[in-house]
Amino acid sequence: MRPISFDNSYVRLPNTFYRRVSPSDVSKPELIRVNRQLADELDIDAEWLASDEGISMMAGCEMPNGADPIAAVYAGHQFGHYVPRLGDGRAMLVGEVITSRHSRFDIQLKGSGPTPYSRGGDGRSPLGPVLREYIVSEAMYHLGIPTTRSLGAILTGDKVIREGKLPGAILTRVARSHIRIGTHQYFAAYGDFESLNSLVKYVVDRHYPEINESQEYVLEMLSSVMARQADLVARWQLVGFVHGVMNTDNMMLSGETVDYGPCAFIDGFDEHAVYSSIDRGGRYAYRNQPGICHWNLACLAQALLPILGDDKGKALGDLENTLSLFPDLYSRSYQKHARKKFGLVTEEKDDDDLFVKFFGILNSEKDDFTLAFRRLSDISGGSDGVGNVSDLFQFSSRYRDWISRWKDRCNRDDTSEKDRQALMYSVNPIYIARNHIVEGAINIAVEEGEYGPFNDFVDVLKFPYLYRSGLDYYATPPSDDQLVTRTFCGT
Ligand code: AMP
Ligand code: MG
């Protein structure tokens, strides 16, 4: 067995970026799950990870050689209000690993105890949110959507006090980095432009190496981040994912989805869907997500202003011009992914209208988002009868005209029905992390210490596009009494 080897680039940045943290003890660390497949991808020995030493690392108790644990500082707009200092209040960055394919990843523990940024919080996490993040982040990954991942989960053996005493747990999170829009805002707001400039250089080097050291690298970074974020949110929209806390500290420069707090996948489509118990005004409702993404990017742009040279008029103009490209970037990403979902391979100018009309009916019928697209995939094969989900979902007569228009449109593409259906089955999932199943798996783990449903669900979600008989339970929308309408982030 070989322990992890680390190469920690973030600690080589100025010490304004972080504070070192020391490991803290937990009573009785116990393994819930290790992600062996991910460990392999990271060149981490899964046997070692599941050993006492590995568990001790995941519990934040004992660090292997080469780890250099820190808590990073950042700020952020939370629900539109600027908070000048947030930072890793319940997380520690253990270190970075480099895979054999030269990709660098952060290994971070979430729920590992207090740090200098805990702001009065306990730095701990209850079991529920750890399991939720494990399930949903891995589900996103297997859907092909950029995301942080879950390498392992452990129980601490300690209780955390929330709405009662709850079992404590720690998630080992893997990310391309943990640099947020809020990290930039922090340095900009404190007037530490030297650190801000170092940060931007670091981001370019780590995430956008194709950008060279030109005068314009700050603007180019902004454009590149915009493109990744626009594509990310377009993908969320097209699987019915509601993030729930799109604060600027939860938006990564890498373009990965992060922070699976009060997130959920929509069952019956509602463009106003909100799940977060704290989002009373619906700021982060499904339909607002692209606009909020744009707003957050404007916060990033504003933070970059001080390092764009002395001609502030020109710098502002450049930032505004760059930001104004967002709607188009978003729309292009959205159209590209939507076209595949509807089985189309060419572009026609009325395609957008076709998509909009479909979502209009879906919204007014409150039909299941996932099953509707899967049923469309069924009928794309020519037969209007049986298919993967014919027992679970049928289109009502309200779709009749739309379906015939869609079929005419499909026929103008030079694709065989077989190929079209294969395309549609490969991009329209049948198994998603349905909220009622997530909650069910969490409840039985928290209340009974039974992890079977959690483990089974994580395994099913590894192949979201592959229909398997006997798994209808996971494909079935919630009944009215199973429907979960509120999700608590439980921090
Ligand atoms: P989040 O809602 O996860 O994006 O967290 C927002 C901020 O609150 C971050 O700075 C977190 O580190 C901090 N935070 C959340 N929960 C806790 C906790 N239990 N203890 C300390 N800090 C926390
Ligand atoms: Mg966060």
Side-chain angles (χ1 to χ4, degrees), residues 257-456:
T257 312
V258 72
D259 202 316
Y260 291 90
C263 60
F265 287 85
I266 294 176
D267 297 295
F269 185 54
D270 173 5
E271 59 178 8
H272 296 284
V274 178
Y275 296 91
S276 168
S277 60
I278 54 173
D279 189 3
R280 294 204 181 81
R283 178 180 171 90
Y284 298 140
Y286 171 82
R287 60 174 276 155
N288 293 350
Q289 295 188 126
I292 288 291
C293 181
H294 194 187
W295 192 92
N296 289 345
L297 289 161
C299 292
L300 176 62
Q302 191 178 17
L304 297 175
L305 181 62
I307 55 167
L308 271 172
D310 293 334
D311 186 346
K312 291 299 168 213
K314 179 180 182 305
L316 260 179
D318 286 347
L319 288 172
E320 275 170 11
N321 287 341
T322 306
L323 277 174
S324 70
L325 302 176
F326 180 84
D328 193 47
L329 278 172
Y330 173 75
S331 163
R332 268 189 284 152
S333 275
Y334 184 89
Q335 299 298 325
K336 182 180 84 185
H337 299 302
R339 208 168 284 119
K340 289 188 192 151
K341 281 183 84 77
F342 286 97
L344 304 177
V345 292
T346 59
E347 272 180 64
E348 284 187 14
K349 75 170 178 14
D350 286 343
D351 288 346
D352 188 39
D353 181 65
L354 185 74
F355 306 158
V356 168
K357 294 268 160 38
F358 180 78
F359 280 106
I361 310 173
L362 199 65
N363 190 55
S364 61
E365 297 284 278
K366 300 283 170 273
D367 275 333
D368 189 80
F369 188 106
T370 306
L371 289 183
F373 275 103
R374 195 70 186 188
R375 183 66 192 144
L376 212 53
S377 319
D378 281 352
I379 65 177
S380 71
S383 109
D384 288 349
V386 291
N388 288 179
V389 298
S390 50
D391 291 342
L392 300 174
F393 185 86
Q394 296 282 344
F395 287 112
S396 71
S397 59
R398 281 209 53 201
Y399 290 89
R400 196 178 301 132
D401 291 348
W402 184 89
I403 288 176
S404 77
R405 179 181 163 196
W406 169 66
K407 287 194 166 164
D408 289 345
R409 170 63 187 91
C410 287
N411 290 334
R412 290 199 294 277
D413 267 5
D414 188 18
T415 323
S416 70
E417 277 181 352
K418 198 163 154 270
D419 287 348
R420 178 174 310 117
Q421 187 168 52
L423 169 67
M424 291 184 74
Y425 279 145
S426 75
V427 294
N428 290 308
I430 179 163
Y431 310 112
I432 54 154
R434 287 189 186 272
N435 216 5
H436 68 292
I437 304 181
V438 174
E439 297 262 321
I442 290 173
N443 289 342
I444 201 160
V446 172
E447 282 154 27
E448 295 171 35
E450 168 58 51
Y451 291 89
F454 161 75
N455 283 315
D456 290 347

Side-chain angles (χ1 to χ4, degrees), residues 31-289:
L31 189 63
I32 298 172
R33 185 173 175 120
V34 282
N35 188 339
R36 288 176 179 273
Q37 187 195 357
L38 176 56
D40 286 348
E41 285 169 33
L42 295 171
D43 291 326
I44 296 173
D45 185 339
E47 294 306 316
W48 176 82
L49 203 57
S51 73
D52 287 349
E53 259 181 51
I55 294 171
S56 192
M57 178 193 76
M58 291 196 282
C61 300
E62 241 168 287
M63 290 294 125
N65 278 342
D68 195 350
I70 57 171
V73 71
Y74 52 87
H77 277 89
Q78 299 191 309
F79 290 91
H81 301 285
Y82 186 65
V83 184
R85 202 170 83 146
L86 291 162
D88 293 331
R90 56 166 161 176
M92 67 155 93
L93 175 62
V94 172
E96 298 154 33
V97 296
I98 301 176
T99 66
S100 55
R101 293 164 146 188
H102 310 293
S103 298
R104 181 181 289 275
F105 288 95
D106 282 2
I107 308 289
Q108 196 204 53
L109 306 181
K110 193 169 170 188
S112 51
T115 77
Y117 307 115
S118 294
R119 297 178 298 152
D122 61 1
R124 298 285 173 192
S125 177
L127 175 59
V130 165
L131 297 182
R132 171 175 287 274
E133 175 155 349
Y134 197 118
I135 296 167
V136 186
S137 66
E138 285 302 302
M140 288 289 262
Y141 171 76
H142 291 290
L143 285 168
I145 299 176
T147 177
T148 63
R149 296 194 63 189
S150 299
L151 181 61
I154 61 119
L155 282 165
T156 59
D158 298 313
K159 295 286 182 210
V160 295
I161 319 267
R162 293 295 183 267
E163 60 271 26
K165 282 189 180 173
L166 296 166
I170 300 174
L171 183 81
T172 304
R173 177 157 82 183
V174 173
R176 286 196 175 268
S177 83
H178 283 84
I179 300 164
R180 304 145 197 271
I181 290 182
T183 319
H184 295 72
Q185 290 179 289
Y186 174 81
F187 292 120
Y190 278 104
D192 181 357
F193 305 145
E194 216 175 291
S195 295
L196 181 61
N197 210 17
S198 307
L199 176 64
V200 171
K201 287 202 166 127
Y202 180 86
V203 170
V204 167
D205 188 47
R206 185 161 174 180
H207 297 300
Y208 304 96
E210 66 281 4
I211 299 174
N212 58 37
E213 283 256 336
S214 71
Q215 282 309 75
E216 305 282 301
Y217 68 94
V218 180
L219 278 179
E220 284 186 38
M221 181 194 78
L222 178 64
S223 302
S224 306
V225 173
M226 278 173 52
R228 279 198 202 169
Q229 285 290 343
D231 195 65
L232 181 68
V233 175
R235 285 161 177 262
W236 290 355
Q237 298 303 88
L238 287 166
V239 290
F241 178 74
V242 180
H243 181 282
V245 262
M246 288 179 71
N247 294 332
T248 58
D249 55 305
N250 289 333
M251 271 184 70
M252 295 293 204
L253 274 280
S254 64
E256 288 184 331
T257 312
V258 72
D259 202 316
Y260 291 90
C263 60
F265 287 85
I266 294 176
D267 297 295
F269 185 54
D270 173 5
E271 59 178 8
H272 296 284
V274 178
Y275 296 91
S276 168
S277 60
I278 54 173
D279 189 3
R280 294 204 181 81
R283 178 180 171 90
Y284 298 140
Y286 171 82
R287 60 174 276 155
N288 293 350
Q289 295 188 126

